[in-house]
Amino acid sequence: MNYLSIIVPFAGGLGMFIYGMQIMAQGLENAAGNRMKSLLEALTKNKLMGVLLGAAITAVIQSSSATTVMVVGFVNAGIMNLTQAMGVIMGANIGTTVTGWLVSSVEWAKVLSPSTLAPVALMIGVVIMLTGKRRSSKEVASIIIGFGLLFIGISTMSAAVDPLRESEGFRSLFVTLGNNPFLGILTGTVVTAIIQSSSASVGILQSLAAAGLVPFSAAIYIIMGQNIGTCITAILASLGAKRTAKTAALMHLLFNIIGTIIFSVVAIVYFKLINVAAGTGVITQTQISLVHTIFNIGTTVLLFPASNWIIRLAKKLGRVKEGEQEKSTVLLDERVLETPSIALQATVKEIDRMGKIVEESLLVAKNVLFAPKEQDIRFLREEEKTVDRLCAGITDYAIKLSSLQISEKEHQEISHLLQIVSDMERVSDYCENISEFAETIMERKLSFSDTGREQLQEMTEVCVDSYLYAYKAFQENDKDRALRVVEKETQADALEVQLRTRHIKRLANNQCEAEAGIVFLDALVCLERISDHARNIAEEVLEGIA
């Protein structure tokens, strides 16, 4: 038998299958876009909701590996906690069975046979690709073309291995795998780990089943091994990530290993003691899809009540305390860039966190001029360093995001976000400047006149309020608060001119200390600039709403 004539077309068919699956998934993902974002927003600590979400997303993108890599990225970025991640991981195992049902549809829906449907799908997809002008048309074309390529790939693989029907050696190999559960599981694990796709691995098994080569028992053990092998992608993705993200990948591995152990014991007892003949019968493509689905749903149902225990075990093995992180660490993961709509949401969340730090600084700066304390001055300087690091990291991430294939609306939103980040960072700079004025007051034992103190406090209230309104407007996309900022900034401008004029008169009349007077004027400038940047933030929010 010429094995080269089998291996070459089989490899080509596998490549076409994987490529078709990828471009179909990419088209579905792009079309889903904001819907996936909405699904993520709906995610709560309720693990059942997480299971449904994980199944839905995996069914769309046709890859449990991609979903779990996404989860690792979300955990690393702080978007998702381990409880939420556990639910999505369980759901991903269910969602990944969809590809198997697509492949086996050639058996239970004859009209979907590759020889009939694939060429038609490719032709329709190409026509839409060439004639469609809108982006949505291109995405639909990608879905249809990917569907056609996937079917041609599985057809090519099945045809390539058909001569192996006559190979006693190949048949004996599968009989051995069926008789030895460990070897069967190991084979499924290794093959899936190498190609990093359980869907593709199941597709290979189904193409062999179409040639009548796979015994029932061997298929079951290989399917169980495939579920373990698919964990390698998430484990590789967690390398270099935080311990919490590594723990998420570990949870995925533990979940699949425990499920495999449970169902392996059941299968061994059944095939060895109860119904020996059942294990030797040849399995069909549809039966593989059914076994794959029952195994993954069954594992989820069995282990769902024990999921908190799995989380605790993973934490213990990963030596992690959830929530531990440096304040200045940018919680944005480049793995999430593979899903731009969700990466954009992550960016907004990180800017929100940065804005909160600036708010805390501003509230300290509000009082530090009138009651300067060493710890407050030190706090403001440290917070400024934190904000600088966050600003640099967020800006770099947003620029990478803007270089991806995203909609014009998303490009505009990123532009608004970059400006908001810059303005927040400038507010933090002015808080540090105020801390320097406070240090001067403390070291030289300066004091403002009663009138000067009252006027500076009035200016401080107006300018701090302008930022607080702007930050809230950003958080809630609130037009009314944004318009309130514009009013506050106009008030701050007029007040700055008025107070400057009055203060210069006091200086001329020797009604206040000269050095304290200089600090007063410098503080006025800083506060007025804070209100300017608050207005900039508000205007970006208003433009975004419009």
Side-chain angles (χ1 to χ4, degrees):
M1 184 176 290
N2 185 356
Y3 286 102
L4 189 62
S5 64
I6 295 174
I7 294 170
V8 172
F10 181 84
L14 177 60
M16 197 176 298
F17 179 87
I18 294 173
Y19 180 64
M21 190 168 61
Q22 284 185 342
I23 65 172
M24 181 173 69
Q26 188 62 55
L28 285 164
E29 185 179 325
N30 290 340
N34 290 328
R35 293 183 185 87
M36 288 180 67
K37 178 179 176 180
S38 300
L39 281 171
L40 185 64
E41 288 172 348
L43 184 65
T44 66
K45 291 185 179 180
N46 184 328
K47 282 195 291 292
L48 180 58
M49 180 67 76
V51 171
L52 297 175
L53 177 64
I57 290 178
T58 306
V60 168
I61 65 177
Q62 300 279 297
S63 172
S64 61
S65 297
T67 302
T68 50
V69 167
M70 201 186 299
V71 166
V72 168
F74 290 165
V75 171
N76 196 49
I79 299 173
M80 189 181 285
N81 61 40
L82 292 176
T83 301
Q84 293 169 325
M86 188 73 226
V88 177
I89 286 167
M90 290 188 286
N93 277 19
I94 296 172
T96 194
T97 61
V98 170
T99 308
W101 284 108
L102 280 176
V103 171
S104 66
S105 64
V106 299
E107 290 182 346
W108 48 266
K110 295 298 181 183
V111 72
L112 297 179
S113 68
S115 59
T116 303
L117 194 60
V120 175
L122 283 172
M123 193 63 229
I124 293 172
V126 169
V127 169
I128 295 174
M129 180 74 73
L130 294 175
T131 60
K133 302 297 182 184
R134 297 193 309 184
R135 182 176 174 181
S136 57
S137 300
K138 304 289 187 185
E139 288 162 357
V140 170
S142 294
I143 295 168
I144 297 172
I145 291 171
F147 189 71
L149 288 175
L150 183 149
F151 267 20
I152 289 176
I154 197 71
S155 180
T156 304
M157 285 194 291
S158 298
V161 298
D162 193 62
L164 293 176
R165 290 174 184 268
E166 312 303 325
S167 172
E168 284 301 322
F170 209 77
R171 285 179 176 278
S172 299
L173 173 63
F174 274 100
V175 169
T176 302
L177 295 177
N179 290 331
N180 190 322
F182 176 77
L183 281 179
I185 292 169
L186 182 63
T187 299
T189 301
V190 171
V191 170
T192 308
I194 290 171
I195 63 177
Q196 294 194 30
S197 171
S198 61
S199 296
S201 183
V202 169
I204 293 172
L205 187 63
Q206 287 178 306
S207 68
L208 293 168
L213 295 168
V214 187
F216 215 98
S217 56
I220 287 179
Y221 299 135
I222 290 170
I223 287 169
M224 292 179 190
Q226 288 167 341
N227 269 38
I228 296 175
T230 195
C231 298
I232 189 66
T233 312
I235 291 170
L236 291 173
S238 71
L239 298 177
K242 295 186 306 191
R243 281 187 180 178
T244 316
K246 289 185 174 71
T247 303
L250 191 56
M251 288 184 332
H252 185 211
L253 181 62
L254 286 172
F255 177 76
N256 284 351
I257 287 176
I258 293 169
T260 296
I261 290 171
I262 293 171
F263 278 90
S264 291
V265 171
V266 173
I268 290 168
V269 170
Y270 183 77
F271 291 131
K272 297 290 185 185
L273 302 177
I274 299 175
N275 192 345
V276 178
T280 60
V282 175
I283 197 168
T284 66
Q285 290 180 320
T286 303
Q287 287 171 329
I288 287 175
S289 300
L290 189 61
V291 168
H292 192 208
T293 303
I294 291 172
F295 172 56
N296 285 340
I297 292 177
T299 301
T300 300
V301 171
L302 281 175
L303 296 184
F304 187 86
S307 56
N308 287 335
W309 178 82
I310 294 174
I311 294 171
R312 286 196 296 271
L313 178 60
K315 280 184 180 179
K316 189 172 182 180
L317 293 173
R319 293 176 296 174
V320 67
K321 293 180 180 178
E322 192 171 0
E324 60 179 15
Q325 63 189 38
E326 287 292 325
K327 194 174 186 179
S328 63
T329 301
V330 181
L331 304 180
L332 291 169
D333 197 298
E334 294 201 8
R335 300 169 185 86
V336 184
L337 288 171
E338 294 181 10
T339 313
S341 61
I342 298 178
L344 183 57
Q345 185 192 25
T347 306
V348 171
K349 183 172 182 179
E350 192 66 352
I351 295 172
D352 186 358
R353 188 169 75 92
M354 175 177 155
K356 183 66 177 174
I357 294 171
V358 175
E359 179 188 48
E360 292 167 357
S361 294
L362 199 53
L363 292 174
V364 171
K366 178 180 177 180
N367 299 312
V368 76
L369 282 174
F370 311 108
K373 296 177 184 176
E374 183 64 42
Q375 63 264 34
D376 288 342
I377 293 168
R378 190 165 55 249
F379 171 81
L380 290 172
R381 287 176 177 170
E382 288 301 317
E383 293 297 88
E384 161 56 11
K385 292 176 185 176
T386 297
V387 170
D388 280 349
R389 285 193 287 269
L390 290 176
C391 178
I394 293 170
T395 300
D396 182 58
Y397 191 82
I399 290 170
K400 288 178 182 176
L401 178 56
S402 68
S403 68
L404 302 176
Q405 288 186 334
I406 57 177
S407 67
E408 182 58 33
K409 184 180 178 182
E410 288 171 325
H411 271 296
Q412 290 174 356
E413 188 172 350
I414 292 170
S415 178
H416 292 312
L417 292 175
L418 284 169
Q419 185 59 53
I420 288 170
V421 168
S422 175
D423 284 306
M424 285 180 172
E425 193 275 332
R426 293 297 292 140
V427 172
S428 177
D429 286 341
Y430 287 120
C431 288
E432 184 184 31
N433 290 348
I434 290 172
S435 75
E436 292 169 0
F437 303 152
E439 187 174 39
T440 299
I441 290 171
M442 188 170 64
E443 288 178 351
R444 300 185 184 180
K445 296 182 171 53
L446 305 178
S447 61
F448 300 117
S449 65
D450 291 342
T451 303
R453 184 185 184 91
E454 289 173 9
Q455 291 177 349
L456 195 56
Q457 283 178 328
E458 181 184 5
M459 182 69 174
T460 302
E461 289 289 341
V462 171
C463 296
V464 169
D465 282 351
S466 66
Y467 177 79
L468 298 181
Y469 277 120
Y471 175 51
K472 206 68 178 176
F474 165 73
Q475 276 187 312
E476 301 177 8
N477 214 27
D478 189 328
K479 181 178 180 180
D480 291 335
R481 282 195 174 96
L483 291 172
R484 187 84 173 112
V485 176
V486 176
E487 293 174 11
K488 286 282 182 183
E489 194 274 335
T490 303
Q491 182 185 351
D493 283 349
L495 197 57
E496 194 265 343
V497 173
Q498 180 185 339
L499 297 184
R500 176 181 293 276
T501 302
R502 291 180 182 177
H503 185 69
I504 290 172
K505 286 182 179 178
R506 283 198 302 276
L507 282 173
N509 296 327
N510 292 319
Q511 292 176 334
C512 62
E513 298 175 18
E515 279 192 283
I518 293 170
V519 170
F520 182 96
L521 292 173
D522 287 341
L524 275 185
V525 172
C526 278
L527 291 167
E528 191 274 331
R529 297 281 169 78
I530 286 171
S531 72
D532 286 343
H533 288 290
R535 177 168 182 158
N536 291 345
I537 293 170
E539 287 176 346
E540 294 297 330
V541 171
L542 289 171
E543 284 185 35
I545 292 172

